[in-house]
Amino acid sequence: MKILLVEDDDLLIKVLTRNLTAHHYIVDTVKDGEMGWTYGSTFEYDLIVLDIMLPKLDGISLCKRFRTQGYTLPILLLTAQDTITAKVQGLDAGADDYVVKPFDPVELIARIRALVRRGSANPFPLLTWGDLLLNPSTCEVSYNGRPLNLTTMEYDLLEVLLRDCQHVFSTEELLDRLWSSEEFPSEATVRSHIRRVRHKLVAAGAPHDFIATMHGRGYYLKAPNTEESTTRTTTPENHLRGVAKSKATLSNSPQHLPPPDSQQQYLAFLNETWTTTKPKSIDQMTFLLQTVRDLQTNQLAPGQQAQAQQVAHKLAGTLGVFGLTKTMHIARQLEYWLGGREPLQPKHAPLMKTLVTSLQQEIEQTNLIQMSQLPSRQSPLLLIVSGDIEFNQSIVGVAASRGIRLEIAPVLDATQALQVTESAFDALGQNPDVVLLRFSHTLTPSAVTEQSAVELSNFWETLQTFKHRYPETPIIVMGDRGELSDRLQVMRQGGKLFLTAQTPPEKVMDAVVNLLRTPEVPHKVMILDDDQEWLRTLPTLLKPWGFKVTTLADPQQFWNVLQAVSPDALVLDVNMPQINGFELCQLLRSDPHWQRLPVLFLSVLTDSNSQNQAFSVGADDYLCKPVMGVELANRILRRLQRVKAWAS
């Protein structure tokens, strides 16, 4: 897959190029908007990554130019501008995604994969064709379960063929898709790579013509057909007829495998880069300090304030790449003041001097990038408290296949659970993401003996201990039977899920994975109402539930803000000027992307006709004003839970 990166920050170019090439992307880099247009309109790319603040032609204008000229390739805006206005402008210009610096490299790569999938003929996370499987998330390739050891270019070649299985790729197309614009390989190079990939596929058990040749046209993947002999020559016509039955398929199993580059290697790379970046950053501070001195004496030159804003903007992006969050925020404050609509006055000099001095001190005092500054990439941790040795052994392999780490406290019965609990806490050194408690006796026996009473008491005490120690961690309880009384007792004691002892290990891990899918970020709620006083009140009412609330009073801005915020739930008033809530709900439901967004109406209208009309246009719920915060929050949470249950 080939990406055009339009960015003028040398550090970011270096970091991004390293991360992208590690994930088998071919990267062309240019440093201004005009060159971005020249490259993007001349060569074929799968994705364009744009900064907004670029020399000669800014990223917003460049994005608009691509769209007005009919280019449909995915465009991702990567910028330090994090205001709603900037996001709305970027998305309205035709961008498909908007990522704010600093960014987590893992998240950025995932977003790029999603955009590339969306723009390809095969939009699935896992690419398969017959017995061939390619996982873009982990860069692993296998045929019939046997891993293929491929070079970077061989991997890229297979991915291109899999992304568009119905296409016959000419040699010229493959040269354009697989090599950067700075390389000039010959057609013989393509044929050489095709031969090597065929050889490795055949060694893994694939037919000799798995990658078939259409003479005079190019190469394509032969349609899998178990009824045909593997030695029979497949015609292009047969291939195309077989495509309908052989499209690449999707596996919904989430992958938590570590990225190709270890975190330690990435940290070493950043520290090596910081040794050359730090002096450059200090040099940039010299210009900012001079700007403050000129401001104090009211001698700012024309354009000097704008130039200083550009310097602060670049510093914020640079510092964010290294995970220097505090220092980056100081640079952003500086950029904010320098980018104000009104020119700075000498009275602003003390504030500017404080910010510049603080920024300089933070940069000078940073000699080493620490691991704690980088985003955590560790795979999830499951703590199992179980004395069932057979079960413990069976779960190990399944957990490993899902990329989930295990810590097992092998208690033989419930009386020992409390004794190992604290030692398990100490051994972990970190909070588990999920806890599983397995009890091999009936949780609510009809006949209670003295021994079973002690065991049950210890079990419930163990559950409560874990719940107290890890209040935010979901707990799964496994018991011998699944009677109502068992399930009810587990729920009352704080358990999140109940599974019977007969549940296969694969289903147990499915349950764990579903719990891990719970987003760590707060739910985003967008509220549209023309009552300004009510809008000021709602964020306070919903604050105890951790919602991230966006309020809007002007329905004319509804669509722009909706796309910029991408909320998890929407709350609409009915009576608003120019466009009413019913019309907005209909508008929303007419777009396939928003058809499952939970929509709640909140209105002073209490009549049944209004409520019926709301549900007829696609509402999920209807509440009448005034409403208590707890009731509105619970209604929103209930809808979000249903969406999550549907998605899983």
Side-chain angles (χ1 to χ4, degrees):
M1 299 289 104
K2 195 171 180 180
I3 292 176
L4 174 62
L5 174 62
V6 189
E7 171 65 62
D8 63 331
D9 186 326
D10 289 331
L11 167 68
L12 196 57
I13 289 173
K14 184 176 181 180
V15 171
L16 272 175
T17 302
R18 181 184 188 276
N19 281 316
L20 289 169
T21 53
H23 286 80
H24 297 280
Y25 292 106
I26 298 101
V27 183
D28 278 348
T29 302
V30 294
K31 295 186 177 182
D32 65 71
E34 288 294 348
M35 285 301 294
W37 167 252
T38 300
Y39 271 62
S41 59
T42 304
F43 303 106
E44 291 288 334
Y45 294 99
D46 297 286
L47 174 74
I48 296 180
V49 178
L50 288 178
D51 191 8
I52 288 183
M53 298 184 71
L54 291 168
K56 298 184 181 180
L57 183 67
D58 66 88
I60 298 291
S61 300
L62 177 55
C63 187
K64 286 181 179 178
R65 183 185 291 187
F66 277 119
R67 294 311 185 215
T68 55
Q69 294 298 318
Y71 289 88
T72 59
L73 74 171
I75 296 177
L76 182 147
L77 290 177
L78 185 63
T79 175
Q81 296 187 7
D82 61 348
T83 64
I84 290 294
T85 302
K87 293 178 181 178
V88 169
Q89 288 177 344
L91 294 170
D92 280 349
D96 298 277
D97 203 352
Y98 192 108
V99 176
V100 177
K101 303 173 185 175
F103 52 86
D104 182 345
V106 176
E107 180 187 355
L108 179 64
I109 295 296
R111 285 176 177 269
I112 287 174
R113 282 199 303 268
L115 289 176
V116 170
R117 285 200 306 268
R118 201 178 305 163
S120 75
N122 188 347
F124 302 127
L126 292 185
L127 306 177
T128 66
W129 188 256
D131 292 324
L132 178 66
L133 184 146
L134 184 148
N135 186 345
S137 300
T138 60
C139 299
E140 295 174 323
V141 184
S142 63
Y143 186 88
N144 198 21
R146 297 178 61 182
L148 271 65
N149 184 19
L150 304 176
T151 66
T152 296
M153 191 56 67
E154 291 166 355
Y155 173 93
D156 295 340
L157 174 61
L158 266 184
E159 185 177 9
V160 166
L161 294 173
L162 281 166
R163 288 285 180 193
D164 195 352
C165 303
Q166 302 186 44
H167 185 69
V168 179
F169 287 91
S170 68
T171 305
E172 292 78 9
E173 282 182 288
L174 292 174
L175 282 170
D176 191 47
R177 296 284 293 273
L178 296 174
W179 280 267
S180 73
S181 57
E182 298 177 356
E183 299 173 294
F184 302 96
S186 65
E187 294 186 3
T189 305
V190 175
R191 292 192 290 271
S192 175
H193 280 88
I194 291 285
R195 282 197 300 271
R196 286 201 293 267
V197 175
R198 280 175 173 163
H199 177 75
K200 292 181 180 181
L201 284 167
V202 170
H208 290 272
D209 56 351
F210 189 86
I211 299 178
T213 302
M214 181 187 291
H215 295 290
R217 290 282 303 280
Y219 305 96
Y220 61 94
L221 293 181
K222 173 189 173 184
N225 190 337
T226 56
E227 295 178 0
E228 293 184 359
S229 168
T230 57
T231 58
R232 177 181 171 184
T233 302
T234 303
T235 65
E237 293 76 11
N238 289 337
H239 162 73
L240 295 175
R241 281 198 295 269
V243 161
K245 296 188 289 184
S246 308
K247 286 185 177 180
T249 56
L250 162 68
S251 170
N252 288 319
S253 301
Q255 299 292 324
H256 296 281
L257 297 175
D261 292 332
S262 72
Q263 199 163 1
Q264 288 289 352
Q265 289 175 327
Y266 187 63
L267 181 64
F269 165 73
L270 288 183
N271 273 299
E272 179 184 349
T273 308
W274 178 245
T275 59
T276 57
T277 303
K278 181 178 177 179
K280 294 178 182 178
S281 299
I282 293 175
D283 288 343
Q284 290 174 307
M285 295 305 305
T286 304
F287 177 78
L288 293 177
L289 286 168
Q290 183 60 50
T291 300
V292 171
R293 286 192 289 268
D294 292 342
L295 178 62
Q296 288 173 321
T297 57
N298 200 23
Q299 294 181 344
L300 280 180
Q304 187 176 356
Q305 181 176 332
Q307 189 177 354
Q309 183 204 5
Q310 288 276 357
V311 171
H313 175 80
K314 295 300 180 187
L315 274 171
T318 297
L319 298 167
V321 168
F322 291 99
L324 303 174
T325 307
K326 177 185 175 183
T327 319
M328 178 201 68
H329 284 310
I330 298 174
R332 280 193 169 173
Q333 290 181 51
L334 194 58
E335 179 191 2
Y336 170 79
W337 284 101
L338 289 165
R341 294 183 179 179
E342 300 297 328
L344 291 174
Q345 303 295 328
K347 64 180 180 180
H348 297 122
L351 169 64
M352 302 301 292
K353 184 177 181 180
T354 300
L355 289 173
V356 172
T357 303
S358 298
L359 183 59
Q360 184 181 34
Q361 290 175 348
E362 290 291 337
I363 292 174
E364 289 178 344
Q365 292 171 7
T366 303
N367 297 316
L368 190 67
I369 306 302
Q370 304 292 336
M371 179 69 76
S372 59
Q373 293 166 334
L374 302 181
S376 174
R377 297 185 185 181
Q378 279 192 316
S379 54
L381 175 63
L382 170 63
L383 172 61
I384 297 179
V385 180
S386 166
D388 189 329
I389 298 175
E390 184 178 349
F391 170 78
N392 294 348
Q393 292 175 341
S394 69
I395 208 76
V396 170
V398 182
S401 69
R402 306 291 181 89
I404 296 176
R405 292 177 297 132
L406 287 183
E407 182 72 27
I408 299 177
V411 296
L412 299 178
D413 55 56
T415 58
Q416 296 181 349
L418 290 177
Q419 300 173 14
V420 301
T421 297
E422 287 302 322
S423 60
F425 290 149
D426 296 336
L428 289 174
Q430 70 170 95
N431 288 355
D433 297 285
V434 180
V435 173
L436 188 151
L437 302 179
R438 181 178 172 87
F439 186 51
S440 58
H441 300 284
T442 305
L443 297 176
T444 54
S446 54
V448 180
T449 64
E450 182 177 350
Q451 181 180 357
S452 63
V454 171
E455 290 176 342
L456 274 176
S457 175
N458 285 337
F459 176 80
W460 297 124
E461 192 173 350
T462 301
L463 175 56
Q464 291 171 357
T465 301
F466 274 90
K467 193 64 185 174
H468 175 73
R469 185 67 178 261
Y470 301 135
E472 303 300 323
T473 300
I475 298 176
I476 302 174
V477 173
M478 294 189 70
D480 275 354
R481 64 176 194 171
E483 299 297 328
L484 175 64
S485 56
D486 295 338
R487 298 175 183 273
L488 186 61
Q489 186 70 356
V490 167
M491 181 195 69
R492 287 173 175 171
Q493 297 294 333
K496 181 71 174 179
L497 288 180
F498 181 89
L499 302 174
T500 63
Q502 293 75 34
T503 306
E506 292 77 13
K507 295 295 184 182
V508 174
M509 294 312 302
D510 285 344
V512 171
V513 167
N514 284 331
L515 289 175
L516 290 170
R517 284 176 177 167
T518 303
E520 297 177 359
V521 296
H523 292 297
K524 294 180 290 184
V525 177
M526 178 177 166
I527 302 175
L528 177 58
D529 198 306
D530 62 334
D531 186 337
Q532 297 278 5
E533 189 63 34
W534 177 241
L535 286 182
R536 283 192 289 269
T537 303
L538 277 172
T540 304
L541 288 177
L542 296 174
K543 185 177 180 180
W545 286 268
F547 293 120
K548 185 176 181 180
V549 180
T550 299
T551 58
L552 178 66
D554 182 7
Q556 294 287 347
Q557 297 296 318
F558 168 73
W559 196 255
N560 289 338
V561 177
L562 177 77
Q563 292 179 300
V565 174
S566 191
D568 301 301
L570 176 66
V571 179
L572 291 176
D573 189 14
V574 174
N575 291 329
M576 290 180 291
Q578 298 176 311
I579 309 175
N580 65 51
F582 296 144
E583 292 172 322
L584 288 176
C585 189
Q586 281 184 298
L587 182 70
L588 192 77
R589 296 312 190 205
S590 69
D591 189 320
H593 179 72
W594 300 107
Q595 285 182 345
R596 294 196 176 273
L597 176 70
V599 177
L600 297 84
F601 276 93
L602 186 57
S603 173
V604 295
L605 302 177
T606 60
D607 60 288
S608 58
N609 288 336
S610 297
Q611 296 185 32
N612 289 335
Q613 187 174 355
F615 288 113
S616 69
V617 297
D620 296 283
D621 209 341
Y622 191 105
L623 293 89
C624 298
K625 298 178 181 177
V627 65
M628 298 289 289
V630 61
E631 181 181 2
L632 178 58
N634 283 332
R635 294 286 189 101
I636 293 172
L637 288 171
R638 201 173 305 151
R639 291 296 161 185
L640 291 172
Q641 288 169 355
R642 291 183 182 179
V643 169
K644 179 185 174 184
W646 175 84
S648 62

